[in-house]
Amino acid sequence: MVEKTFKDEATEEKGELARLERMSEEHKEQEQVLFLEEGKKKKLKKEAEKAHKRGVCYISRVPPGMDHVKLRQLLSQYGEIQRIYLAPQNSSSIDQGNDNNKSRKRGGGAKAQAYSEGWVEFASKSNAKRVANLLNGEQIGGKKRSQFYYDHWNIKYLSKFKWDNLTDEIAYKKAIREQKLALEISAAKRERDFYLKKVDQSRALSSIEERMKKKQKVQQESGGELSVAPQKPPVCRQFPQKKPMAERERSKPQLSKDVLAGVFGGS
């Protein structure tokens, strides 16, 4: 009996130790999760503070052949750049003066992507303002062999404008474009279904006519009389029309010349 009691106490102690170890592990995991959440919050706070200090410049015209890399190379010498976004140009509004791309296309070369406008985010607002005031309306310059040498900067600082505003606008335009595309696809599907329905109807009618012709041919060959279904007389609708002016003037009652002479000249 004494041995059993010792064994029971030992097993109870082991179970209590295991329970305490599990509780300590769970507590450690909770502490790690809280620590990670606090670290994320701190990072987000720092990013928000940095984003508040940043400034955005708008480029109303992007020279033909310029892309993100070349634009960053040109503007990075004036200050630290965070992000760049260039809006692709539509195929319907391609610049007519882009002779280089046209000649390259005729020669079989790859056509460069054209951009209509762009946004550049600088690390500080003061730097963005300084760059906009310094470069707006000025010649891009650089090496004379560069294709941007004679182009001019069209850049403006956007006050109280953040990069989040740009991303929200892009997402909104994308949603509208997808909605329009879905409507166009549904309209095209309806037209296709209507066309296929009419095709099936025409095939069914043509097959009925072919069967009728075969039946008539068989009856003619057998010498039997054709049982032609009585046809309905064609409906001719008549609509009242106005008479021409000449006929209306003829139909008006006119006074005789004797009566007119008696009234006006027969005093």
Side-chain angles (χ1 to χ4, degrees), residues 213-232:
K213 287 179 181 179
K214 287 180 182 179
K215 188 176 180 181
Q216 290 176 2
K217 190 175 181 182
V218 170
Q219 287 180 357
Q220 286 177 359
E221 290 176 355
S222 62
E225 294 182 356
L226 296 174
S227 59
V228 181
Q231 296 182 353
K232 294 182 179 181

Side-chain angles (χ1 to χ4, degrees), residues 241-254:
Q241 297 182 356
K242 292 182 179 181
K243 294 181 180 180
M245 292 294 295
E247 293 183 2
R248 281 191 282 178
E249 287 177 358
R250 289 174 193 169
S251 61
K252 285 182 180 180
Q254 296 180 356

Side-chain angles (χ1 to χ4, degrees), residues 19-258:
R19 188 173 66 81
L20 291 172
E21 287 178 358
R22 286 197 300 271
M23 288 177 66
S24 63
E25 288 178 358
E26 290 177 357
H27 185 66
K28 287 179 181 179
E29 289 178 358
Q30 289 179 359
E31 286 182 351
Q32 289 178 357
V33 169
L34 291 172
F35 179 74
L36 291 173
E37 288 180 355
E38 288 178 359
K40 287 181 180 178
K41 287 180 180 178
K42 288 180 180 178
K43 285 182 181 179
L44 290 172
K45 192 175 180 181
K46 287 181 181 179
E47 288 293 330
E49 290 177 356
K50 289 180 180 179
H52 183 69
K53 294 178 182 178
R54 293 170 186 168
V56 180
C57 288
Y58 171 68
I59 300 174
S60 61
R61 180 185 176 275
V62 180
M66 184 175 286
D67 57 1
H68 304 78
V69 179
K70 294 175 183 177
L71 184 61
R72 186 178 287 273
Q73 288 175 357
L74 291 170
L75 293 179
S76 59
Q77 57 185 337
Y78 299 102
E80 185 183 355
I81 295 174
Q82 296 293 326
R83 289 173 284 193
I84 295 175
Y85 174 74
L86 299 179
Q89 195 174 32
N90 296 328
S91 59
S92 60
S93 61
I94 293 175
D95 191 9
Q96 295 180 357
N98 194 1
D99 297 330
N100 296 328
N101 288 338
K102 289 182 180 179
S103 60
R104 287 175 62 189
K105 191 175 179 182
R106 288 195 209 100
K111 185 180 178 182
Q113 173 66 54
Y115 299 98
S116 59
E117 55 186 357
W119 290 262
V120 181
E121 186 185 36
F122 287 88
S124 64
K125 294 180 183 179
S126 59
N127 198 7
K129 290 179 185 178
R130 184 177 59 82
V131 170
N133 294 327
L134 181 66
L135 296 181
N136 188 32
E138 296 294 329
Q139 189 175 342
I140 293 177
K143 295 181 180 179
K144 284 191 176 182
R145 292 183 180 180
S146 175
Q147 57 181 331
F148 318 119
Y149 182 78
Y150 294 103
D151 284 307
H152 289 76
W153 289 107
N154 295 304
I155 187 168
K156 181 182 178 182
Y157 172 72
L158 300 177
S159 179
K160 297 180 181 180
F161 186 86
K162 300 300 177 186
W163 197 261
D164 293 337
N165 303 128
L166 177 61
T167 54
D168 293 341
E169 185 179 357
I170 293 169
Y172 177 70
K173 288 182 178 179
K174 184 179 179 182
I176 291 174
R177 187 167 58 252
E178 289 177 353
Q179 189 176 4
K180 287 182 179 178
L181 184 62
L183 291 173
E184 290 176 359
I185 290 171
S186 62
K189 284 182 179 179
R190 286 197 299 270
E191 290 179 1
R192 183 201 62 186
D193 296 338
F194 179 76
Y195 173 75
L196 293 175
K197 184 180 178 182
K198 291 297 180 183
V199 168
D200 293 337
Q201 288 179 358
S202 64
R203 286 177 180 174
L205 291 173
S206 61
S207 63
I208 290 169
E209 289 178 358
E210 288 178 0
R211 286 199 300 269
M212 290 293 293
K213 287 179 181 179
K214 287 180 182 179
K215 188 176 180 181
Q216 290 176 2
K217 190 175 181 182
V218 170
Q219 287 180 357
Q220 286 177 359
E221 290 176 355
S222 62
E225 294 182 356
L226 296 174
S227 59
V228 181
Q231 296 182 353
K232 294 182 179 181
V235 178
C236 296
R237 296 181 179 178
Q238 295 182 356
F239 298 95
Q241 297 182 356
K242 292 182 179 181
K243 294 181 180 180
M245 292 294 295
E247 293 183 2
R248 281 191 282 178
E249 287 177 358
R250 289 174 193 169
S251 61
K252 285 182 180 180
Q254 296 180 356
L255 296 174
S256 63
K257 293 181 179 180
D258 298 335

